[in-house]
Amino acid sequence: LSDNRRASDSLISQMPQKPLLKPGKKIEKKQAANRHGKTATTRKGKFEKPPKKSNELVKFNEQKELTKYINANNESNFATIAQQKGGKLKALNAPPPALAPKDKLKKKGKAADDAAKDSMSEDDE
């Protein structure tokens, strides 16, 4: 075995190595086949995916509730400090329905329409 290995090592070291590309040329990356001409969308913000294990899911939900409480508390504290100094502090929430994207309004509108129809049918009975 050692003689064969030495022979193959000597052959490998003597074989000429040719460059993969000509000088000045670059490898161009191909577009992903499943994109079909669509551009890549950049997602912003923090992605919070709940864990799949039940005990870790409980911890995750508790931590989320604690974070909500702390944020609300901090917000109210800063608002009172701002009012004491004569100013106003308003927390910006989600945009009003007029400024929300159209596709979200349609989904919400359909759900609201269905709920209204259900309540009207119950009133008729």
Side-chain angles (χ1 to χ4, degrees):
L1 286 174
S2 62
D3 293 334
N4 289 341
R5 184 171 282 156
R6 284 186 203 143
S8 63
D9 287 343
S10 65
L11 286 175
I12 291 173
S13 63
Q14 292 174 357
M15 291 178 70
Q17 297 296 313
K18 183 166 85 169
L20 294 175
L21 290 173
K22 293 181 181 178
K25 295 217 174 188
K26 293 181 181 178
I27 297 175
E28 292 184 22
K29 289 186 178 181
K30 292 184 179 178
Q31 186 176 358
N34 61 351
R35 279 193 15 204
H36 305 291
K38 293 177 277 191
T39 58
T41 56
T42 304
R43 296 179 181 173
K44 297 180 181 180
K46 191 174 182 182
F47 300 118
E48 285 190 24
K49 293 186 179 178
K52 294 182 179 178
K53 293 182 180 177
S54 60
N55 59 348
E56 290 182 12
L57 182 63
V58 171
K59 289 179 186 176
F60 175 81
N61 289 334
E62 287 175 357
Q63 189 65 35
K64 204 170 187 181
E65 291 298 319
L66 179 66
T67 304
K68 282 183 187 177
Y69 173 76
I70 291 171
N71 287 343
N73 191 15
N74 287 343
E75 197 172 292
S76 64
N77 287 344
F78 286 119
T80 54
I81 290 170
Q83 281 183 340
Q84 287 172 356
K85 293 186 177 181
K88 288 183 183 178
L89 179 70
K90 291 184 180 179
L92 296 176
N93 294 329
L99 300 176
K102 293 179 183 177
D103 58 336
K104 288 187 179 180
L105 280 177
K106 288 179 185 176
K107 289 178 186 175
K108 287 182 181 177
K110 286 181 183 177
D113 291 343
D114 293 341
K117 287 178 185 175
D118 290 341
S119 65
M120 284 184 180
S121 63
E122 290 173 3
D123 292 339
D124 293 339
E125 294 173 0

